[in-house]
Amino acid sequence: MVQKIVRNPLFLQQKSEPATKDDMQVITDLTDTLQANRERCVGMAANMIGVKKRIIVVAAGPFTFAMVNPVIVKKSGPYETEESCLSLDGVRPCTRYKEIEVEYLDSNFQKQRRKYTDFTAQIIQHEIDHFEGILI
């Protein structure tokens, strides 16, 4: 179900908790909400729809995928860029990494470990920051 986007910085700055299989509906709601906002959004964290769980969805070209409890285990190639966020107004500077390696559970709660580069890596880093209450 498409959910309303949270824009309250005090809520968004709270840390998220690990997700469990009981949070499967959050993955569906997050995916539906991202799809409804595709013209202006390429990634979304669960706290953006009011759920403080470590779940993100990422739109990479025609594909959308979920990551549950993702952790960046390697990163290389730092660079400076600017980003925006559906939950915030404006564009803000930040540091990202060109290549990252992430351990996570997929939407079926199967363990994965994958490398991501360029814009997809940037999206994942932005959304993982949401778990720690880091707002760009």
Side-chain angles (χ1 to χ4, degrees):
M1 176 151 83
V2 176
Q3 301 292 328
K4 184 177 181 208
I5 303 298
V6 173
R7 295 182 53 85
N8 179 339
L10 293 177
F11 178 83
L12 294 168
Q13 289 172 330
Q14 296 176 36
K15 292 194 178 207
S16 297
E17 300 172 5
T20 68
K21 287 185 179 180
D22 292 338
D23 298 309
M24 292 290 286
Q25 185 61 45
V26 176
I27 297 170
T28 301
D29 291 351
L30 206 49
T31 302
D32 291 348
T33 305
L34 175 63
Q35 292 299 338
N37 289 280
R38 266 307 285 261
E39 74 284 351
R40 58 195 179 117
C41 185
V42 291
M44 198 169 278
N47 69 344
M48 293 174 67
I49 61 168
V51 180
K52 291 187 289 184
K53 293 290 186 158
R54 297 176 80 86
I55 302 170
I56 66 173
V57 291
V58 176
F63 305 104
T64 300
F65 60 93
M67 299 175 110
V68 178
N69 302 325
V71 175
I72 297 171
V73 294
K74 286 184 184 177
K75 54 189 176 183
S76 63
Y79 65 96
E80 299 301 315
T81 190
E82 291 184 336
E83 295 177 351
S84 61
C85 181
L86 265 186
S87 292
L88 304 168
D89 293 325
V91 176
R92 298 165 191 201
C94 60
T95 301
R96 296 292 179 217
Y97 294 85
K98 183 171 176 48
E99 182 174 291
I100 60 173
E101 191 167 337
V102 186
E103 289 182 350
Y104 64 98
L105 301 175
D106 63 21
S107 57
N108 296 313
F109 282 77
Q110 300 299 306
K111 287 185 180 184
Q112 303 290 333
R113 183 179 180 125
R114 295 219 166 101
K115 289 183 181 180
Y116 296 92
T117 60
D118 303 317
F119 191 53
T120 302
Q122 184 177 340
I123 296 165
I124 293 167
Q125 290 168 80
H126 175 104
E127 302 311 333
I128 287 176
D129 278 356
H130 273 281
F131 299 155
E132 302 304 322
I134 297 169
L135 303 179
I136 55 163

